[in-house]
Amino acid sequence: MNVQKQAWNKEDLARRLCHALDIGRQTVEELAHKGYTDSQEPGNNLRPEKLISETAFLLLAASTAADISDVRKRIKALAQLLIPHARSERMLLGMCLHPAMALDYAQAHVCLARLGYPDANFDLLLRQSMGSQARRGRERVPHRMLEQEWLTAVWENPTPGSRPYALPSASGSVLNHSMDLLNCSREDIYALTHALMYVKDFNISPRRLPRRRAEITAGATALLARCLDEQDYDTGGEVLLAWPLTGRSWSAASVFGFRVLTQVEDQAGFLPASSTRLARVEKLEGEHRKHYLLATAYHTIYVMGLLCATALQAGRTPPAQIPTNTAVPGGAKMILRFLDTDQRSVHWRDELEKLTEPERDAIAGLLLNIAFRRKITSGQFGALRELLEAAHALGLSGMPAASQTAEMLERLATFAEIKQTQVEKVCKANDSKEVLSTRYSVLSCSESHQ
């Protein structure tokens, strides 16, 4: 068999998924009751509802790999542990007092019911809240509307494989539009990845995408490049879901990205989050240390679990080696000369050193996306034209980030013309003032001599 067609070792994927589920058990045991409060960095504060909902979300994704006995055992154990928290007095009261957030409080319940753990009493109160006058009294952005529609659909028809109705908000979400790949925020990326999860439903009862898969994954490649370069593995892992969720063949860039994440996870023992400060970890002891690590790192660990669970699905597993069929000889060297000047130490460079020349050339497009982002964020706009010329030479000028960069240069050229016109107007006005001032001086001098 051709080495490049061999799939990633499924036992390895299952091991990583089981690791995420084990961390889920620890996190629920330690933090599901009260959450976590960080007096030094409030951004690390964790509400119990968030942890409980995200754990149930992980269980739902993991259920697609429940044919693996180790995974199935962990799903059952974690579900049993989660049930009292998912249907606690806190959740019930939240639905009573905030009917517009009923599904937010019920998310874990809905996921658990789909997994075969129903609760008629909880459904009764949820139905009352959903039927209240204030039910729609909360404004939401499109990907949050998609979340509500997805939860409603799962709650009303939890049977996997049923014919699901389309999610109305999909067409108005970022899934149906080109993102600003050069300057989007982390929240924008989050909106895309979550919208994709809700529409595809982890391939349990997937809905139709509002845009072509190739367009979505092309944009995802640019976002992946940014996440790898910023070492944001939380968001990067979610971006990688674009390939197994859409069923699009794993590209060279996505396989490379997955390899980076697995190597970082293996070295650290878990996929680290940017919010986890190693200096603080070293100072903390006992329960404080454990709670800090779980609260700041659990989400990124869950993301790796989601990714591995989806990658275990039939036909969705990444290849073991980076495909080189689209490689252009010398492509990587051409782009790396723009990146080597920065002399930045990032994990993806370590993985790049392990690749063969054809494998490096196969990810030239990913490297180009990194170069575009670096030059723009550092204000080195003069290098962008050279990068575009390199992209054209490599046949990569059709990349979304390349075309957006070309558009940016056009806007900057117009900006320069406008600025020049404004400067000329100011200079002309100043010259007129100087002439008037000179005339006034001459007249004043002439009158004084009279």
Side-chain angles (χ1 to χ4, degrees):
M1 181 184 290
N2 188 326
V3 173
Q4 292 194 2
K5 292 184 179 180
Q6 290 180 343
W8 194 281
N9 188 316
K10 290 198 172 186
E11 291 183 359
D12 179 68
L13 295 174
R15 174 182 64 81
R16 297 177 191 278
L17 172 56
C18 287
H19 174 67
L21 291 169
D22 288 340
I23 295 297
R25 176 183 55 77
Q26 293 181 46
T27 308
V28 170
E29 288 176 342
E30 298 291 337
L31 304 178
H33 181 59
K34 293 184 179 180
Y36 178 76
T37 302
D38 191 331
S39 58
Q40 293 187 32
E41 297 180 76
N44 293 331
N45 290 351
L46 176 64
R47 293 180 296 103
E49 296 91 340
K50 183 176 187 294
L51 166 61
I52 294 164
S53 295
E54 290 179 346
T55 303
F57 200 59
L58 171 63
L59 285 174
L60 190 61
S63 70
T64 63
D67 58 323
I68 301 171
S69 60
D70 287 344
V71 173
R72 184 169 60 253
K73 291 176 184 176
R74 285 170 169 80
I75 291 174
K76 183 177 180 180
L78 183 52
Q80 294 288 356
L81 183 65
L82 191 64
I83 286 172
H85 299 287
R87 291 156 178 163
S88 66
E89 181 180 320
R90 183 187 185 99
M91 298 299 194
L92 292 166
L93 187 59
M95 288 195 299
C96 288
L97 299 179
H98 308 284
M101 297 180 64
L103 285 172
D104 300 84
Y105 284 103
Q107 179 171 321
H109 159 75
V110 170
C111 292
L112 287 166
R114 193 182 207 186
L115 292 172
Y117 303 96
D119 187 297
N121 289 329
F122 198 101
D123 277 334
L124 175 62
L125 186 55
L126 175 57
R127 195 170 294 109
Q128 284 184 296
S129 297
M130 293 286 283
S132 70
Q133 297 178 39
R135 165 69 185 94
R136 300 187 183 280
R138 185 179 180 87
E139 194 74 25
R140 299 176 190 268
V141 294
H143 80 279
R144 289 301 185 191
M145 292 170 63
L146 272 173
E147 180 182 37
Q148 296 287 299
E149 292 165 5
W150 169 73
L151 284 168
T152 301
V154 172
W155 178 50
E156 292 178 345
N157 193 0
T159 306
S162 58
R163 292 176 63 90
Y165 56 76
L167 300 182
S169 297
S171 60
S173 74
V174 71
L175 273 179
N176 199 31
H177 305 284
S178 297
M179 289 183 63
D180 181 352
L181 300 173
L182 307 176
N183 287 302
C184 65
S185 67
R186 194 169 185 266
E187 288 71 25
D188 292 329
I189 303 176
Y190 180 92
L192 173 71
T193 58
H194 281 246
L196 185 58
M197 290 184 223
Y198 301 138
V199 170
K200 298 308 292 182
D201 189 32
F202 289 104
N203 297 320
I204 299 172
S205 295
R207 277 85 173 165
R208 187 182 182 86
L209 291 165
R211 200 156 56 117
R212 292 176 58 243
R213 297 180 304 167
E215 294 175 343
I216 293 172
T217 53
T221 300
L223 301 176
L224 174 64
R226 167 182 169 169
C227 293
L228 291 178
D229 204 39
E230 295 179 353
Q231 301 188 149
D232 181 356
Y233 303 125
D234 188 330
T235 311
E238 291 191 9
V239 171
L240 278 171
L241 279 165
W243 282 269
L245 283 181
T246 63
R248 183 83 173 164
S249 296
W250 286 76
S251 64
S254 59
V255 176
F256 177 74
F258 186 64
R259 283 178 57 165
V260 172
L261 264 63
T262 58
Q263 288 302 307
V264 172
E265 182 183 42
D266 290 343
Q267 291 174 12
F270 62 94
L271 196 61
S274 56
S275 57
T276 305
R277 313 294 182 195
L278 295 181
R280 279 194 67 186
V281 173
E282 294 174 358
K283 295 178 181 178
L284 296 172
E285 297 179 353
E287 293 295 300
H288 295 293
R289 179 189 177 97
K290 182 196 296 185
H291 290 176
Y292 173 77
L293 276 171
L294 290 174
T296 58
Y298 87 93
H299 187 270
T300 306
I301 295 170
Y302 280 18
V303 167
M304 193 63 173
L306 298 178
L307 182 57
C308 289
T310 313
L312 279 165
Q313 295 172 9
R316 310 297 167 114
T317 307
Q321 300 295 327
I322 294 174
T324 58
N325 54 307
T326 60
V328 176
K333 286 184 178 178
M334 187 180 295
I335 305 303
L336 283 171
R337 65 187 178 89
F338 292 95
L339 298 174
D340 290 339
T341 57
D342 295 339
Q343 297 183 335
R344 290 175 55 182
S345 177
V346 285
H347 294 139
W348 69 259
R349 288 304 297 252
D350 296 334
E351 193 61 27
L352 183 74
E353 296 301 319
K354 303 175 186 177
L355 303 185
T356 64
E357 285 299 321
E359 288 175 328
R360 289 189 184 192
D361 291 334
I363 65 166
L366 181 77
L367 300 176
L368 183 61
N369 277 299
I370 291 174
F372 279 137
R373 171 75 179 174
R374 282 194 189 182
K375 299 307 178 186
I376 289 172
T377 54
S378 61
Q380 300 178 52
F381 301 113
L384 293 179
R385 191 169 297 280
E386 292 182 63
L387 276 172
L388 286 174
E389 291 173 356
H392 179 72
L394 295 172
L396 298 173
S397 56
M399 287 171 31
S403 58
Q404 288 190 18
T405 299
E407 291 175 343
M408 176 179 285
L409 288 179
E410 290 179 359
R411 294 194 301 271
L412 287 171
T414 302
F415 165 75
E417 291 175 2
I418 293 172
K419 185 176 180 180
Q420 180 62 30
T421 301
Q422 291 174 337
V423 170
E424 290 175 355
K425 286 182 179 179
V426 171
C427 290
K428 187 175 181 180
N430 288 338
D431 289 343
S432 298
K433 289 178 181 178
E434 289 178 7
V435 170
L436 288 173
S437 178
T438 302
R439 290 178 178 174
Y440 177 77
S441 299
V442 171
L443 287 171
S444 299
C445 183
S446 175
E447 290 175 355
S448 66
H449 283 298
Q450 292 176 356

